[in-house]
């Protein structure tokens, strides 16, 4: 599904394509209802859309090599947030990243897929803010 292409690049075709394919990104619990998804897709498409860019990004992801050695060199406070129901990147990927980065904190949210559902915005933002505040406190103390 993810590798399919929209019928054309006009806005309605892109919106319909998004409505058909978005469910493939969602988890079991946190989903975006179509009545909220349509206006979201319209805003995204109005802002900028690049089907060719999407294909290039997908190829880059598929061709990327193992980055574990580079992750082990990081020396910054790191928060890894991952969906327990991510259909594109298994939760083991998030766990591997958190394990590779020294002192990384891992948050697995069960029922979350590969999208950013409205229901999780507050939780995700709160966690990121708390992580940034803690990192800032550690930096000041050093």
């Amino acid at each position: 599904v993810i590798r399919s292409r929209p019928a054309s690049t006009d806005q309605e075709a892109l919106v319909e394509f998004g409505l058909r394919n978005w469910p493939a990104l969602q988890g079991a619990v946190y989903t975006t209802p179509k009545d909220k998804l349509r206006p979201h897709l319209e805003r995204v498409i109005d802002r900028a859309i690049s089907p060719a860019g999407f294909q290039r990004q997908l190829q880059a992801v598929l061709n990327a090599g193992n980055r574990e050695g580079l992750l082990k060199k990081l020396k910054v406070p790191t928060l890894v947030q991952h969906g327990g129901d991510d259909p594109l990147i298994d939760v083991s990927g998030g766990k591997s990243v958190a394990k590779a980065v020294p002192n990384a904190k891992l948050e697995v949210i069960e029922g979350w897929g590969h999208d950013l559902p409205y229901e999780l915005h507050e939780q995700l933002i709160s966690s990121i803010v708390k992580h940034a505040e803690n990192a800032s406190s550690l930096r000041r103390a050093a």
Side-chain angles (χ1 to χ4, degrees), residues 1-137:
V1 172
I2 298 299
R3 294 183 187 200
S4 66
R5 294 180 183 209
S8 75
T9 56
D10 69 77
Q11 182 175 22
E12 188 55 30
L14 293 171
V15 168
E16 289 301 319
F17 177 80
L19 290 172
R20 280 192 313 275
N21 290 286
W22 199 270
L25 302 174
Q26 297 181 79
V29 176
Y30 299 102
T31 60
T32 303
K34 284 194 177 189
D35 65 323
K36 290 186 179 180
L37 183 55
R38 177 175 279 281
H40 169 74
L41 290 169
E42 289 169 351
R43 285 190 305 276
V44 167
I45 291 164
D46 282 344
R47 187 176 64 233
I49 188 81
S50 174
F54 174 80
Q55 291 298 322
R56 286 191 301 272
Q57 179 186 5
L58 181 59
Q59 278 307 121
V61 168
L62 295 174
N63 293 323
N66 187 312
R67 292 177 292 276
E68 185 177 351
L70 293 171
L71 293 171
K72 288 179 184 272
K73 294 178 183 181
L74 289 175
K75 295 179 187 209
V76 295
T78 302
L79 172 64
V80 178
Q81 295 176 314
H82 201 96
D85 286 346
D86 190 325
L88 294 183
I89 302 172
D90 187 75
V91 70
S92 62
K95 290 177 179 178
S96 293
V97 168
K99 184 177 178 186
V101 177
N103 302 310
K105 179 181 178 192
L106 172 65
E107 290 180 352
V108 175
I109 300 172
E110 295 303 327
W112 180 25
H114 197 79
D115 60 344
L116 290 171
Y118 295 106
E119 296 169 281
L120 287 178
H121 285 185
E122 189 174 316
Q123 179 180 345
L124 294 169
I125 292 167
S126 175
S127 182
I128 292 167
V129 167
K130 181 179 177 185
H131 180 75
E133 289 172 348
N134 288 341
S136 180
S137 297

